[in-house]
Coordinates of all heavy atoms in Angstrom, one line a residue:
K1 N 0.8 -1.2 0.0 CA 0.0 0.0 0.0 C 0.9 1.3 0.0 O 0.4 2.3 -0.4 CB -0.9 0.0 1.2 CG -2.1 -1.0 1.1 CD -3.1 -0.8 2.2 CE -4.3 -1.6 2.0 NZ -5.1 -1.2 0.9
I2 N 2.1 1.1 0.5 CA 3.0 2.3 0.5 C 3.9 2.3 -0.7 O 4.1 3.3 -1.4 CB 3.9 2.2 1.8 CG1 3.0 2.0 3.0 CG2 4.7 3.5 1.9 CD1 2.0 3.1 3.3
F3 N 4.5 1.2 -1.0 CA 5.4 1.1 -2.2 C 4.8 0.3 -3.3 O 4.5 -0.9 -3.2 CB 6.7 0.3 -1.7 CG 7.4 1.0 -0.6 CD1 7.3 0.4 0.7 CD2 8.2 2.1 -0.7 CE1 8.0 1.0 1.8 CE2 8.8 2.7 0.3 CZ 8.7 2.2 1.6
P4 N 4.5 1.0 -4.4 CA 3.8 0.3 -5.5 C 4.7 -0.7 -6.2 O 5.9 -0.7 -6.0 CB 3.5 1.5 -6.5 CG 4.5 2.6 -6.1 CD 4.7 2.4 -4.7
R5 N 4.1 -1.6 -6.9 CA 4.8 -2.7 -7.6 C 5.9 -2.2 -8.5 O 7.0 -2.8 -8.6 CB 3.8 -3.6 -8.4 CG 4.4 -4.8 -8.9 CD 3.5 -5.6 -9.8 NE 4.1 -6.7 -10.5 CZ 3.6 -7.3 -11.6 NH1 2.4 -7.0 -12.0 NH2 4.2 -8.2 -12.2
L6 N 5.6 -1.1 -9.2 CA 6.6 -0.5 -10.1 C 7.9 -0.1 -9.3 O 9.0 -0.4 -9.7 CB 6.0 0.7 -10.7 CG 6.9 1.5 -11.7 CD1 6.2 2.0 -12.9 CD2 7.5 2.7 -11.0
F7 N 7.7 0.5 -8.1 CA 8.8 0.9 -7.3 C 9.6 -0.4 -6.9 O 10.9 -0.4 -7.0 CB 8.3 1.6 -6.0 CG 9.4 2.0 -5.1 CD1 9.9 3.3 -5.2 CD2 9.8 1.2 -4.0 CE1 10.9 3.7 -4.3 CE2 10.8 1.6 -3.1 CZ 11.3 2.9 -3.3
I8 N 8.9 -1.4 -6.4 CA 9.6 -2.6 -5.9 C 10.4 -3.3 -7.1 O 11.5 -3.7 -6.9 CB 8.6 -3.6 -5.3 CG1 7.9 -3.0 -4.1 CG2 9.2 -4.9 -5.0 CD1 6.7 -3.7 -3.6
S9 N 9.8 -3.4 -8.3 CA 10.4 -4.1 -9.4 C 11.6 -3.3 -9.9 O 12.7 -3.9 -10.2 CB 9.4 -4.2 -10.6 OG 8.3 -5.0 -10.2
M10 N 11.6 -2.0 -9.9 CA 12.7 -1.2 -10.3 C 13.8 -1.2 -9.3 O 15.0 -1.3 -9.7 CB 12.3 0.3 -10.6 CG 11.5 0.4 -11.9 SD 11.0 2.1 -12.3 CE 12.6 2.9 -12.5
I11 N 13.5 -1.2 -8.0 CA 14.5 -1.4 -7.0 C 15.2 -2.7 -7.1 O 16.5 -2.8 -7.0 CB 13.9 -1.2 -5.6 CG1 13.4 0.3 -5.4 CG2 14.9 -1.6 -4.5 CD1 14.6 1.3 -5.3
R12 N 14.5 -3.8 -7.3 CA 15.1 -5.1 -7.5 C 16.0 -5.1 -8.7 O 17.1 -5.7 -8.6 CB 14.0 -6.2 -7.6 CG 14.5 -7.6 -7.7 CD 13.4 -8.6 -7.8 NE 12.6 -8.7 -6.5 CZ 11.4 -8.3 -6.4 NH1 10.7 -7.8 -7.5 NH2 10.8 -8.4 -5.2
A13 N 15.5 -4.6 -9.8 CA 16.4 -4.5 -11.0 C 17.6 -3.7 -10.8 O 18.7 -4.0 -11.2 CB 15.6 -3.9 -12.2
G14 N 17.5 -2.6 -10.0 CA 18.6 -1.7 -9.7 C 19.7 -2.5 -8.8 O 20.9 -2.3 -9.0
E15 N 19.2 -3.3 -7.9 CA 20.1 -4.1 -7.1 C 20.8 -5.1 -7.9 O 22.0 -5.3 -7.7 CB 19.3 -4.8 -6.0 CG 18.7 -3.8 -4.9 CD 17.8 -4.5 -3.9 OE1 17.3 -5.6 -4.3 OE2 17.7 -4.0 -2.8
E16 N 20.1 -5.8 -8.8 CA 20.7 -6.8 -9.6 C 21.7 -6.2 -10.6 O 22.8 -6.9 -10.9 CB 19.6 -7.6 -10.4 CG 18.7 -8.4 -9.4 CD 17.6 -9.1 -10.2 OE1 17.4 -8.8 -11.4 OE2 16.8 -9.8 -9.6
S17 N 21.5 -5.0 -11.1 CA 22.4 -4.4 -12.1 C 23.5 -3.6 -11.5 O 24.4 -3.2 -12.1 CB 21.6 -3.5 -13.1 OG 21.0 -2.4 -12.4
G18 N 23.4 -3.4 -10.2 CA 24.3 -2.6 -9.5 C 24.2 -1.1 -9.7 O 25.1 -0.3 -9.4
D19 N 23.1 -0.7 -10.3 CA 22.8 0.8 -10.6 C 21.6 1.3 -9.8 O 20.7 1.8 -10.4 CB 22.6 0.9 -12.1 CG 22.5 2.4 -12.5 OD1 23.1 3.2 -11.8 OD2 21.8 2.7 -13.5
L20 N 21.7 1.1 -8.5 CA 20.6 1.5 -7.7 C 20.4 3.1 -7.7 O 19.3 3.6 -7.6 CB 20.8 1.0 -6.2 CG 19.6 1.3 -5.2 CD1 18.3 0.6 -5.8 CD2 20.0 0.8 -3.9
E21 N 21.6 3.8 -7.8 CA 21.5 5.2 -7.8 C 20.7 5.7 -9.0 O 19.9 6.6 -8.9 CB 22.9 5.8 -7.8 CG 23.0 7.3 -7.9 CD 24.4 7.8 -8.1 OE1 25.4 7.1 -7.7 OE2 24.6 8.8 -8.7
G22 N 21.1 5.1 -10.2 CA 20.4 5.5 -11.4 C 18.9 5.2 -11.4 O 18.0 5.9 -11.8
T23 N 18.6 4.0 -10.8 CA 17.2 3.6 -10.7 C 16.4 4.5 -9.8 O 15.3 4.9 -10.1 CB 17.2 2.1 -10.1 OG1 17.9 1.3 -10.9 CG2 15.7 1.7 -9.9
L24 N 17.0 5.0 -8.7 CA 16.3 5.9 -7.8 C 16.1 7.2 -8.5 O 15.0 7.9 -8.3 CB 17.1 6.1 -6.5 CG 17.1 4.9 -5.5 CD1 18.1 5.1 -4.5 CD2 15.7 4.7 -4.9
E25 N 17.0 7.7 -9.3 CA 16.8 8.9 -10.1 C 15.7 8.8 -11.0 O 14.8 9.7 -11.1 CB 18.1 9.2 -10.8 CG 19.3 9.7 -10.0 CD 19.1 11.2 -9.5 OE1 18.1 11.8 -10.0 OE2 19.9 11.7 -8.7
R26 N 15.6 7.6 -11.7 CA 14.5 7.4 -12.7 C 13.2 7.3 -11.9 O 12.1 7.8 -12.4 CB 14.8 6.1 -13.5 CG 15.8 6.3 -14.6 CD 15.8 5.1 -15.5 NE 16.5 4.0 -14.8 CZ 17.8 3.8 -14.8 NH1 18.6 4.6 -15.4 NH2 18.3 2.7 -14.2
L27 N 13.1 6.7 -10.8 CA 11.9 6.7 -10.0 C 11.4 8.1 -9.6 O 10.2 8.4 -9.6 CB 12.1 5.8 -8.7 CG 12.0 4.3 -8.9 CD1 12.5 3.5 -7.7 CD2 10.5 3.9 -9.2
A28 N 12.4 8.9 -9.1 CA 12.0 10.2 -8.7 C 11.5 11.0 -9.9 O 10.4 11.7 -9.7 CB 13.3 10.9 -8.1

């Protein structure tokens, strides 16, 4: 209810690719 599925999926992809910083920028 707080973190939408899109947020969770992109965070997981950012962790796997090692580009969490870029993922968070795209989410923002």
Side-chain angles (χ1 to χ4, degrees):
K1 286 187 174 293
I2 310 299
F3 303 102
R5 186 185 170 195
L6 178 140
F7 180 91
I8 298 169
S9 298
M10 287 182 65
I11 290 294
R12 183 178 293 113
E15 290 173 337
E16 292 174 355
S17 64
D19 185 28
L20 187 58
E21 177 186 333
T23 299
L24 288 168
E25 286 285 353
R26 282 189 287 273
L27 277 168

